[in-house]
Amino acid sequence: MENLDASVLLFGCGKVGIRLGEVLIEAGHRVFAVRRDVEVLPRSFTGIELDYRRPFTAELPSVGSMVVTLTPGASERESPDLVNPLRRLAAALPARPRRVILVSSTRVFDGDPGLRTLTEDDIPSPASPRAQALLDSETEARRLFDAVVVRPAGIYGPGRDHLIRQVERGVPMDRKRRTNRIHETDLVRALRELLRAPKPPQTLHAVDNYPATRGEVADYIARRLQIPAPPALPTEPSGHLISGERLASLLGTLRYPDYRSGYDDIIAARGPMRW
């Protein structure tokens, strides 16, 4: 048995949560998963049907660790409430878990001019309601649970091939935008390591080692597909460059250290080009 408590609650369990839960179950842990539609969960999970946007009706278990992912619905994207669900969660738990991880986003920097590489020591500067809601949830999760905050950027992997499909269709794009990404496999590895680390960092940017402009990534995908690169929209440089040094220190070598290795595997698994 690894250095983890025997039970983990995944509060909000989407694609990443399911992959993480499967890894934890293989290691011998019991996984409880909270989401609105528990039918999609693997049979090895203990599903708890609950809509975090409404007063809680389901009974929550006492667990050693918890990973919280609050994903707003389409109607909430302008000004989602991510703080009150955390307060309801804290009130509903029989006891505070030993380790709590909140999955946030690098979007909390969307008001930063993007003129320098950002690290976990930089102060977020939200400029949109969505970014402010994420930052508010970070603050509340730290207050309620002493949570570790993980901020992924640009999650991609199997089934997350939106950019590939855009390149295939030749969709004009903002080629000057600075982008960061993390392969789903390495994000799951990071969450697992944070659950078991004796002294985890309080904030972690889940990004790989090679930020790049969207145009650079699109050009690489186009070369791999042997098709023309998509045209550029008339835009100015935007976006951010985010350091992945802390993640590399935590995990060592990433399974997908850059977009080339990640997209190579995705393209190979997709087979012939789809239109």
Side-chain angles (χ1 to χ4, degrees):
M1 179 70 69
E2 297 178 347
N3 184 24
L4 277 172
D5 291 326
S7 56
V8 182
L9 175 64
L10 305 178
F11 190 83
C13 186
K15 197 167 182 291
V16 170
I18 289 174
R19 287 196 63 183
L20 173 62
E22 290 172 335
V23 168
L24 295 174
I25 286 172
E26 287 179 4
H29 305 287
R30 184 175 184 185
V31 170
F32 298 90
V34 173
R35 57 178 292 154
R36 287 190 290 269
D37 50 336
V38 297
E39 295 82 7
V40 303
L41 294 172
R43 292 175 64 87
S44 55
F45 288 32
T46 301
I48 301 173
E49 190 170 350
L50 188 152
D51 185 344
Y52 73 75
R53 299 170 299 179
R54 300 183 175 88
F56 292 4
T57 56
E59 183 176 347
L60 298 183
S62 180
V63 294
S65 304
M66 178 170 67
V67 179
V68 180
T69 306
L70 301 180
T71 304
S75 62
E76 300 174 282
R77 291 198 183 278
E78 288 305 313
S79 55
D81 176 13
L82 304 179
V83 168
N84 283 315
L86 289 172
R87 293 173 180 168
R88 290 194 287 268
L89 173 59
L93 287 168
R96 193 178 89 173
R98 172 191 63 85
R99 176 67 47 79
V100 176
I101 298 172
L102 176 75
V103 180
S104 181
S105 169
T106 56
R107 189 188 295 263
V108 296
F109 291 102
D110 70 358
D112 190 278
L115 302 179
R116 69 196 190 287
T117 299
L118 297 170
T119 74
E120 289 85 352
D121 295 328
D122 284 295
I123 299 174
S125 53
S128 65
R130 170 64 170 151
Q132 186 62 57
L134 287 165
L135 184 58
D136 290 345
S137 73
E138 293 182 7
T139 301
E140 192 67 5
R142 294 188 203 274
R143 184 184 74 84
L144 292 169
F145 304 112
D146 191 25
V148 173
V149 171
V150 179
R151 296 173 181 152
I155 304 171
Y156 75 115
R160 299 177 186 267
D161 58 354
H162 176 69
L163 182 57
I164 295 176
R165 288 184 279 111
Q166 282 189 311
V167 173
E168 286 177 334
R169 298 196 302 269
V171 177
M173 63 178 58
D174 182 354
R175 295 177 55 89
K176 296 179 182 178
R177 184 169 182 82
R178 297 177 286 265
T179 64
N180 308 265
R181 63 200 47 78
I182 184 71
H183 195 282
E184 187 179 271
T185 296
D186 286 314
L187 176 55
V188 169
R189 289 179 62 212
L191 294 172
R192 180 189 182 192
E193 187 60 32
L194 290 171
L195 283 170
R196 64 181 178 178
K199 294 182 179 180
Q202 286 303 107
T203 307
L204 179 70
H205 290 166
V207 297
D208 68 24
N209 301 322
Y210 288 90
T213 65
R214 185 170 292 161
E216 289 173 316
V217 182
D219 287 348
Y220 181 78
I221 293 171
R223 287 196 298 271
R224 291 285 283 104
L225 297 176
Q226 299 182 335
I227 59 176
L233 292 171
T235 58
E236 295 298 321
S238 62
H240 303 91
L241 300 180
I242 296 176
S243 171
E245 288 187 9
R246 186 171 292 182
L247 177 66
S249 296
L250 179 74
L251 294 182
T253 303
L254 272 62
R255 172 66 180 83
Y256 297 99
D258 58 30
Y259 65 85
R260 298 174 184 85
S261 57
Y263 279 112
D264 280 351
D265 271 13
I266 298 171
I267 291 170
R270 292 170 86 243
M273 189 161 53
R274 297 176 296 181
W275 299 99

